[in-house]
Amino acid sequence: MGITKTFGFSFKINEMSDILKALGNPARLKIIQFLMDNPTSSCGDIIEVLPLAQSTVSKHLSELKRVKLIKGKNKGNNIYYSLNLKTWEKVKAFVLTEINLPKED
Protein backbone atom coordinates (compact mmCIF):
# COMPACT_ATOMS: atom_id res chain seq x y z
CA MET A 1 0.00 0.00 0.00
CA GLY A 2 1.31 3.43 -0.90
CA ILE A 3 1.90 6.33 1.42
CA THR A 4 -0.88 8.91 1.51
CA LYS A 5 0.27 12.50 1.13
CA THR A 6 -1.21 14.51 3.99
CA PHE A 7 1.04 17.57 3.86
CA GLY A 8 -0.77 20.58 2.46
CA PHE A 9 -4.20 19.57 3.72
CA SER A 10 -5.86 21.00 6.80
CA PHE A 11 -5.86 19.13 10.08
CA LYS A 12 -9.63 18.78 9.79
CA ILE A 13 -9.45 17.18 6.33
CA ASN A 14 -6.70 14.79 7.44
CA GLU A 15 -8.60 13.88 10.60
CA MET A 16 -11.85 13.20 8.72
CA SER A 17 -9.98 11.21 6.08
CA ASP A 18 -8.51 8.98 8.78
CA ILE A 19 -11.89 8.50 10.49
CA LEU A 20 -13.75 7.81 7.25
CA LYS A 21 -11.03 5.36 6.21
CA ALA A 22 -11.56 3.49 9.50
CA LEU A 23 -15.29 3.38 8.76
CA GLY A 24 -14.62 1.93 5.32
CA ASN A 25 -14.64 -1.62 6.68
CA PRO A 26 -17.84 -3.69 7.04
CA ALA A 27 -16.83 -5.13 10.43
CA ARG A 28 -16.16 -1.68 11.84
CA LEU A 29 -19.44 -0.34 10.49
CA LYS A 30 -21.24 -3.27 12.12
CA ILE A 31 -19.49 -2.51 15.41
CA ILE A 32 -20.64 1.14 15.22
CA GLN A 33 -24.17 0.01 14.36
CA PHE A 34 -24.17 -2.45 17.26
CA LEU A 35 -22.91 0.17 19.72
CA MET A 36 -25.66 2.56 18.63
CA ASP A 37 -28.22 -0.03 19.76
CA ASN A 38 -26.16 -1.36 22.69
CA PRO A 39 -24.39 1.68 24.16
CA THR A 40 -22.18 -0.16 26.65
CA SER A 41 -20.93 -3.51 25.36
CA SER A 42 -18.01 -5.78 26.06
CA CYS A 43 -15.81 -7.31 23.40
CA GLY A 44 -17.63 -10.60 24.07
CA ASP A 45 -20.98 -8.93 23.29
CA ILE A 46 -19.59 -7.58 20.02
CA ILE A 47 -18.03 -10.92 19.03
CA GLU A 48 -21.48 -12.53 19.18
CA VAL A 49 -22.73 -10.39 16.26
CA LEU A 50 -19.66 -10.65 14.03
CA PRO A 51 -18.45 -13.68 12.07
CA LEU A 52 -14.87 -13.00 13.14
CA ALA A 53 -12.35 -14.33 15.62
CA GLN A 54 -11.87 -12.51 18.92
CA SER A 55 -8.40 -11.33 17.93
CA THR A 56 -9.74 -9.81 14.71
CA VAL A 57 -12.57 -8.05 16.54
CA SER A 58 -10.03 -6.68 19.03
CA LYS A 59 -7.98 -5.22 16.17
CA HIS A 60 -11.07 -3.54 14.73
CA LEU A 61 -11.94 -2.13 18.16
CA SER A 62 -8.39 -0.80 18.49
CA GLU A 63 -8.65 0.96 15.15
CA LEU A 64 -11.98 2.55 16.09
CA LYS A 65 -10.47 3.67 19.39
CA ARG A 66 -7.41 5.06 17.60
CA VAL A 67 -9.58 7.42 15.54
CA LYS A 68 -11.66 8.17 18.66
CA LEU A 69 -14.96 6.85 17.29
CA ILE A 70 -15.38 4.63 20.35
CA LYS A 71 -14.27 4.72 23.97
CA GLY A 72 -13.36 1.84 26.24
CA LYS A 73 -13.85 1.71 29.99
CA ASN A 74 -12.23 -0.93 32.20
CA LYS A 75 -14.58 -2.74 34.58
CA GLY A 76 -12.89 -5.62 36.32
CA ASN A 77 -11.34 -7.91 33.70
CA ASN A 78 -13.50 -6.53 30.87
CA ILE A 79 -13.46 -3.44 28.71
CA TYR A 80 -16.84 -1.97 27.89
CA TYR A 81 -17.10 0.00 24.67
CA SER A 82 -19.36 2.88 23.73
CA LEU A 83 -19.58 5.43 20.96
CA ASN A 84 -17.61 8.61 21.39
CA LEU A 85 -20.51 10.93 20.64
CA LYS A 86 -18.26 13.99 20.29
CA THR A 87 -16.34 12.41 17.41
CA TRP A 88 -19.47 10.90 15.89
CA GLU A 89 -21.15 14.34 15.84
CA LYS A 90 -18.04 15.84 14.16
CA VAL A 91 -18.23 13.19 11.43
CA LYS A 92 -21.94 13.71 10.87
CA ALA A 93 -21.53 17.48 10.71
CA PHE A 94 -18.65 17.17 8.27
CA VAL A 95 -20.56 14.88 5.94
CA LEU A 96 -23.75 16.93 6.11
CA THR A 97 -22.23 20.40 5.75
CA GLU A 98 -18.87 20.18 4.07
CA ILE A 99 -19.42 17.57 1.39
CA ASN A 100 -21.71 19.39 -1.00
CA LEU A 101 -23.29 17.07 -3.51
CA PRO A 102 -24.81 18.58 -6.66
CA LYS A 103 -28.60 18.68 -6.66
CA GLU A 104 -30.28 16.18 -8.95
CA ASP A 105 -32.54 17.56 -11.67
Side-chain angles (χ1 to χ4, degrees):
M1 186 183 302
I3 296 173
T4 303
K5 183 178 179 182
T6 58
F7 181 75
F9 296 98
S10 70
F11 173 79
K12 184 177 187 178
I13 291 292
N14 283 313
E15 178 186 35
M16 283 300 125
S17 174
D18 202 24
I19 292 169
L20 293 171
K21 191 183 312 179
L23 286 172
N25 179 287
R28 294 184 199 136
L29 283 175
K30 182 65 179 176
I31 291 168
I32 294 295
Q33 184 181 46
F34 181 76
L35 289 174
M36 286 179 174
D37 294 332
N38 305 279
T40 304
S41 302
S42 69
C43 185
D45 297 332
I46 296 166
I47 288 168
E48 290 180 23
V49 298
L50 296 174
L52 302 170
Q54 183 272 329
S55 60
T56 304
V57 172
S58 290
K59 288 180 183 177
H60 286 303
L61 290 167
S62 292
E63 180 63 11
L64 290 171
K65 278 179 67 176
R66 184 187 69 77
V67 297
K68 297 184 174 107
L69 275 170
I70 65 172
K71 301 183 279 188
K73 186 173 185 177
N74 292 330
K75 289 186 183 176
N77 291 333
N78 292 317
I79 300 173
Y80 287 85
Y81 296 95
S82 60
L83 288 175
N84 183 340
L85 296 178
K86 183 178 177 182
T87 303
W88 188 244
E89 290 301 320
K90 280 173 45 175
V91 172
K92 287 189 333 186
F94 180 81
V95 171
L96 292 174
T97 62
E98 297 199 34
I99 299 178
N100 299 313
L101 298 175
K103 294 186 180 184
E104 294 183 24
D105 293 327

